[in-house]
Amino acid sequence: MSCDTVRAKLIRGSRPGAAELDHLGRCPECALFARRLEESSRLLGRPAGFEPDPSFAPRVAAALPRGPALLGWAALRLIPATVALALVLAGWCLLDTPSPSALFGQGASDDPLAWVLQGEPEDEG
């Protein structure tokens, strides 16, 4: 007996037969599923054997958004913002790039770490 068959029978609320009980004794995943289903039913107050309207599952599935299409649409909507952010960051990097004379000119000393930590040299005058 397959796990899907046993679980479907448990979900329907029908009493498991000898074959289902044998499967539950050999399959720890299905036994855990049965215990969780029983506990959930007890907590929710669902009467044994309760089965929702047959059209319930298709209605819920139809109301859910489609996964890949939704993700694709969201990603497409983010492309302009991503391009704008990349352009702003590129412009900021270009404007804030030090000139070669500032890097190799008057302020550079024999200790480059001390020069970097001190910041830009102040004009004397």
Side-chain angles (χ1 to χ4, degrees):
M1 178 157 289
S2 73
C3 292
D4 291 336
T5 306
V6 171
R7 291 179 184 190
K9 191 166 188 173
L10 290 171
I11 289 171
R12 283 193 306 267
S14 50
R15 284 189 81 68
E20 289 85 9
L21 290 174
D22 181 51
H23 180 84
L24 289 172
R26 289 182 290 110
C27 181
E29 290 87 13
C30 286
L32 177 64
F33 178 83
R35 284 193 303 273
R36 287 182 175 171
L37 182 65
E38 184 179 326
E39 183 66 20
S40 298
S41 295
R42 186 184 65 75
L43 288 173
L44 294 174
R46 180 179 141 190
F50 172 78
E51 193 168 336
D53 180 27
S55 65
F56 176 74
R59 283 190 323 229
V60 170
L64 294 174
R66 301 288 183 246
L70 181 65
L71 180 62
W73 178 248
L76 287 176
R77 290 175 54 190
L78 290 176
I79 288 175
T82 305
V83 170
L85 180 63
L87 289 174
V88 166
L89 289 175
W92 178 63
C93 289
L94 289 174
L95 291 176
D96 202 32
T97 303
S99 66
S101 63
L103 291 174
F104 301 109
Q106 305 163 349
S109 66
D110 292 335
D111 186 9
L113 183 60
W115 176 71
V116 169
L117 292 176
Q118 288 174 358
E120 293 186 26
E122 295 181 14
D123 289 337
E124 295 179 21

